[in-house]
Amino acid sequence: MEKQSPPGRRKESRRKFLGDVVKGLSAAAVGAHLDRSTFAQNPQPGRPSIRFVIHGGAGTIVRGQMSREMEESYRTELTRALSTGYNILKNNGSSLDAVEAAIRIMEDSPLFNAGKGAVFTSAGTNELDASIMDGSNLKAGAVAVVKHIKNPISLARLVMERSPHVLMVGDGAEAFARQQGVKLVPQEYFYTERRWKELQQIKEEEKKQKSPQKKSEHGSQGQPLTEGKHGTVGAVALDKSGNLAAGTSTGGLTNKKFGRVGDSPIIGAGTYANNRTCAVSATGDGEYFIRAVVAHDISALVEYKGMPLNEAAQAVIDKVGKLGGTGGVIALGRDGSITTPFNTEGMYRGYVDTNERMVIEIYKD
Amino acid sequence: MEKQSPPGRRKESRRKFLGDVVKGLSAAAVGAHLDRSTFAQNPQPGRPSIRFVIHGGAGTIVRGQMSREMEESYRTELTRALSTGYNILKNNGSSLDAVEAAIRIMEDSPLFNAGKGAVFTSAGTNELDASIMDGSNLKAGAVAVVKHIKNPISLARLVMERSPHVLMVGDGAEAFARQQGVKLVPQEYFYTERRWKELQQIKEEEKKQKSPQKKSEHGSQGQPLTEGKHGTVGAVALDKSGNLAAGTSTGGLTNKKFGRVGDSPIIGAGTYANNRTCAVSATGDGEYFIRAVVAHDISALVEYKGMPLNEAAQAVIDKVGKLGGTGGVIALGRDGSITTPFNTEGMYRGYVDTNERMVIEIYKD
């Protein structure tokens, strides 16, 4: 067990710490853009350099369709998450701490489909999934279909560190949370007007269709799921000790039924980290990412085929595309290389470049 | 959609069919033993030969500790499942049909930890997981934590064929089942005296320990889970069209808490099939199999490193062992090669050899 202090105190001290690092951030660095999705730099021999990459979901994010104000909000929140994680790494923090802290910030923001900003299920509830993985020992934790957990990424970490299990779902996961001293929140916490309207809009569209029930019930894996109704947040980190970590958190699919679970809590699909290769967090049509075992496939191409990380990640996104799925990944190599391929119009993403400039990107071009 | 008839009628006609194929089986072939866990034979050019392999779980299965009567029961049930699947393939049936039919037989038997013979959770309930994958198109279906489904493997197949989703859990999965005309069974259906006694025995052991709660709550992924409390069934098939399929079904872990889910319903971990490489079904300490992404890792070693299937499967079981986990896999290559490595004392398994003899094996030696 790496953390000995009780959860309550841990959370409190971490909050304070996060506040400090955000305050200490160079404001000049915020908003710098670099128009390429891949770069690589080998760390100096014997001294691994730190790296941090985040995403806030991929989908139909088209330039000109988003208000300037909305875009600024996204950039601000992504910058806050990015700088928080990066500063943890700079201050000798672990890659796991950086990943968890950045994802908590995105979970607490109403902008992203995770935590507070989670979309609504068909029944008008919010069901959250998350997972985290430690590349140094392949330990992992995940939760799925939790309804009263403010920060599912932190519960996933507790599953990893304080239970012999990897995946806990539903009420059982929440019973574990209570036992660990995690305060549960009422479902109302996850209410946001924007997400509620999205659900109503989709339900209206369903009604307009002649036989919507039949269509949704008899859809097949050959048909792409509707874009723009999902989203995910994630982070990958390389710390000073050379350890990789990856984490992913989501509110799932708007209007989802039948206890559907996507790729976010699935180790190997939505999340994977292995010090031998890379750390990966995915976002997109979860079904296709599960079938393509996306995160592990990228790692396998690097390890077994000796493929450079950017080629491996692009190859796997191409496979997802051929199956009919859309989305993207952020991937971080053990050598510090970064790549963020996606086959959608946009993906909210950010990383710190080799000059310590924070790069936030949204669109494809 | 391959199947058009309603589930009720499908089930009925399948039952009759299964009865016929079992009756038509050569009794002389039953019980033949072949003491090797790997063999390979290339099919004749242009005419892929059919192959079928099953398992009924791995664990502390020690020769001499099992009564002759009990061993015979296992051999009989395994033979029935094996011959049923094999005869479907012989009669031009699909690999998916063979996998589903054989797993249904093992689910209906009280001997295996799946379906009828499922172990009990800490709360005295039964929670079932299953998954199936079609190697020809990478479609997949899975269910987890279902409590009223007689044959979870068939529900997993319905998820694959009649929904746009891959994984459904809990009540939601059961709502989908009802909508598809699947008859739900009461929890009492899963009661067996043997499994109930196992739960009581484990609870007694917990009480005897000084601080059992604390121990189980603060276990970590470094500690191996107790052997002999889990089990799984699975099947892999290669049909006359050269299509691979894999399926896995389980009742989970005796005395499990917190909605724990293992590797069986996780595509890439407990189940994977890909016509380019192989079909795999796993059994063992699920947590370690998830962390090692076992089934997909075997496929990746074959595809990207050009490793023979038996070496790939053994290498991945060795990785699981190094992490601290126990269990095994059955794996079937696109070329018809078969391998069944495990690092436990035994694994219930069976396959049909190239002379159409049915081989049932239980112990390591």
Side-chain angles (χ1 to χ4, degrees), chain A residues 143-214:
Chain A
V143 293
V145 203
V146 294
K147 294 182 178 176
H148 304 93
I149 305 297
K150 186 170 171 282
N151 293 107
I153 193 68
S154 296
L155 184 57
R157 187 164 179 186
L158 288 174
V159 170
M160 175 172 76
E161 294 182 343
R162 300 194 181 185
S163 92
H165 302 311
V166 169
L167 175 58
M168 295 182 185
V169 306
D171 297 343
E174 297 192 351
F176 174 74
R178 269 193 299 271
Q179 192 204 62
Q180 294 294 321
V182 175
K183 207 184 141 193
L184 271 56
V185 295
Q187 274 271 291
E188 292 74 48
Y189 167 77
F190 301 102
Y191 178 87
T192 57
E193 203 186 338
R194 175 187 173 200
R195 298 302 190 194
W196 185 251
K197 278 184 180 165
E198 281 175 7
L199 176 65
Q200 303 316 316
Q201 196 184 329
I202 287 179
K203 285 191 176 283
E204 280 299 314
E205 282 164 23
E206 264 192 355
K207 269 187 209 163
K208 278 180 202 160
Q209 287 169 17
K210 225 175 178 180
S211 180
Q213 273 298 320
K214 210 177 168 186

Side-chain angles (χ1 to χ4, degrees), chain B residues 153-168:
Chain B
I153 193 68
S154 296
L155 184 56
R157 187 164 178 186
L158 287 173
V159 170
M160 175 172 77
E161 294 181 343
R162 300 194 182 184
S163 92
H165 301 311
V166 169
L167 175 57
M168 295 183 185

Side-chain angles (χ1 to χ4, degrees), chain B residues 33-79:
Chain B
H33 300 189
L34 239 179
D35 225 324
R36 49 193 179 144
S37 66
T38 300
F39 75 88
Q41 197 191 42
N42 291 323
Q44 290 164 25
R47 187 176 166 276
S49 53
I50 58 175
R51 288 285 186 280
F52 195 57
V53 193
I54 61 170
H55 72 80
T60 14
I61 311 164
V62 184
R63 198 189 293 277
Q65 282 184 13
M66 201 194 299
S67 72
R68 199 187 160 87
E69 200 180 17
M70 195 67 160
E71 184 174 324
E72 267 319 298
S73 301
Y74 274 105
R75 287 190 182 277
T76 303
E77 288 292 74
L78 287 167
T79 302

